[in-house]
Amino acid sequence: MKNLNTTQIAKLVILVIGGMVALGFVRKTLITIPAGTVGVKETFGKVAETPLNPGLHLVNPLSKVVRFSTRLEDIKETVEATSQEGLSIQLDVSLQYRANPSKIAEIYQNIGTDEEEIIISRFRSLVREVTAAYSLNSIYGDKRQEVANLLRERLTTSLQPLGFEVEEVLLRKVILPSNVQEAIEAKITAEQKSLQQQFEIQQQRQQIEFDLEKARSTAEREKIEAQARAEREKIAAEATAEAQKKLAEGLTPAILQLKTIEATQSLAQSSNTKIIILGDGNQQLPQIFFPFPNQ
């Protein structure tokens, strides 16, 4: 019974050891490559040219798999450089790059797993080389983006053969020498004051033009009103003259005599005491006297 138990225990131990060996073998055989990375397989010093893309892979358990990131990397550097005039400046620059998945095997063979040191050294060198071809005003002013674009082109030419793709180069900040910075700030302040003065002068001119235009409008309005008033008076005078003319044309001697007779008849019928002296008939109007009693 004891021998049987010992045999069973031995078998159990063998099974456990075998299971552990099998598990280790499986773990060595099945490799998972996470998203955003690729794997390089090396077997006895020989590097496989085809990389292992993200996913589950069955590999030789004796092979070593090295993982490389293919995500976008961002290197930020402050570089001491010199402008075309020989003035010292500091540039805060960023390099955004990624490893080319199809060239991971070459990167591993030629550079290894620590590529950042090589990239930074080339990055710094090219920043100094490019800025030396530009004046300080160009780097600080209107050609800042041109400098960044040229840096991107030069870095692409330098890093692409190594297996890296340059996405962007950003010239974040240009730090000038203190004396140059003070001179630029003084110039900007003077320009701002000049612009403010020009603005105030322009405002004054506009106000003067507005006042003149307002005065001209008032004078023009008064002139128009005077002309309209004179025109109305002229029309009224002409209408009155025309009416009088027509009235005069209508008062013939016969009509006047008839009107005189009608008026005399009306007065004769009045109860008031009066004396009427008729005309001599030669278009002479009658004369009327009202006698008053003695006081």
Side-chain angles (χ1 to χ4, degrees):
M1 187 69 178
K2 289 183 179 180
N3 291 336
L4 182 60
N5 289 337
T6 302
T7 302
Q8 290 177 346
I9 292 172
K11 289 181 179 180
L12 182 60
V13 170
I14 292 172
L15 287 174
V16 170
I17 294 173
M20 293 177 64
V21 171
L23 181 61
F25 181 82
V26 171
R27 290 185 61 185
K28 281 282 189 178
T29 304
L30 293 177
I31 297 294
T32 300
I33 304 298
T37 61
V38 293
V40 177
K41 185 171 60 175
E42 180 184 1
T43 306
F44 301 116
K46 184 178 180 180
V47 178
E49 295 182 359
T50 304
L52 301 176
N53 294 320
L56 186 64
H57 297 271
L58 183 64
V59 298
N60 187 336
L62 300 178
S63 298
K64 180 176 71 172
V65 177
V66 181
R67 295 174 176 83
F68 281 84
S69 173
T70 56
R71 292 188 174 95
L72 188 67
E73 304 291 339
D74 188 10
I75 295 177
K76 293 182 174 65
E77 288 290 315
T78 299
V79 182
E80 297 280 349
T82 305
S83 68
Q84 193 177 51
E85 303 92 343
L87 295 172
S88 297
I89 55 176
Q90 285 186 343
L91 301 175
D92 286 350
V93 287
S94 293
L95 169 61
Q96 296 176 353
Y97 73 97
R98 69 175 77 243
N100 186 343
S102 64
K103 294 187 177 182
I104 287 296
E106 295 180 22
I107 294 174
Y108 180 63
Q109 286 179 314
N110 299 326
I111 299 175
T113 57
D114 188 13
E115 79 281 358
E116 189 170 318
E117 184 176 349
I118 292 177
I119 292 176
I120 289 176
S121 63
R122 295 197 178 197
F123 183 32
R124 284 176 167 272
S125 176
L126 285 173
V127 168
R128 295 188 183 99
E129 183 179 331
V130 169
T131 53
Y134 285 87
S135 65
L136 183 61
N137 287 336
S138 298
I139 299 171
Y140 189 77
D142 58 341
K143 293 189 177 180
R144 184 168 178 168
Q145 188 58 46
E146 181 180 319
V147 173
N149 292 339
L150 182 57
L151 271 172
R152 182 178 181 277
E153 293 175 6
R154 297 290 298 276
L155 281 165
T156 298
T157 303
S158 177
L159 298 179
Q160 202 169 50
L162 298 180
F164 300 101
E165 297 176 352
V166 176
E167 296 291 335
E168 192 61 79
V169 175
L170 304 174
L171 186 55
R172 302 194 317 274
K173 187 177 181 181
V174 179
I175 304 172
L176 303 175
S178 58
N179 58 335
V180 176
Q181 184 68 38
E182 291 172 0
I184 291 176
E185 290 175 355
K187 180 182 178 182
I188 293 174
T189 301
E191 289 176 349
Q192 289 176 344
K193 288 182 178 179
S194 177
L195 290 174
Q196 180 64 27
Q197 291 175 352
Q198 292 178 10
F199 175 75
E200 292 175 355
I201 292 172
Q202 183 66 23
Q203 289 290 99
Q204 292 174 359
R205 287 177 178 173
Q206 290 178 353
Q207 185 62 41
I208 292 172
E209 291 177 358
F210 175 77
D211 293 340
L212 289 174
E213 184 64 27
K214 184 178 179 181
R216 283 195 293 266
S217 299
T218 302
E220 186 68 21
R221 185 175 63 253
E222 292 176 351
K223 179 181 177 182
I224 293 173
E225 290 176 352
Q227 290 176 347
R229 187 165 54 252
E231 187 67 21
R232 289 195 299 270
E233 292 175 355
K234 178 182 177 183
I235 293 172
E238 290 177 351
T240 301
E242 183 67 21
Q244 291 176 350
K245 179 181 178 182
K246 289 183 178 180
L247 180 61
E249 290 175 351
L251 293 177
T252 61
I255 292 176
L256 287 174
Q257 190 172 12
L258 177 61
K259 293 294 183 181
T260 300
I261 294 171
E262 290 176 352
T264 302
Q265 289 177 346
S266 177
L267 288 172
Q269 294 174 1
S270 174
S271 59
N272 295 328
T273 303
K274 77 284 292 180
I275 299 173
I276 301 173
I277 302 175
L278 298 176
D280 58 2
N282 189 22
Q283 297 182 356
Q284 185 177 0
L285 297 177
Q287 298 181 12
I288 303 172
F289 297 93
F290 295 90
F292 295 94
N294 293 329
Q295 299 294 329

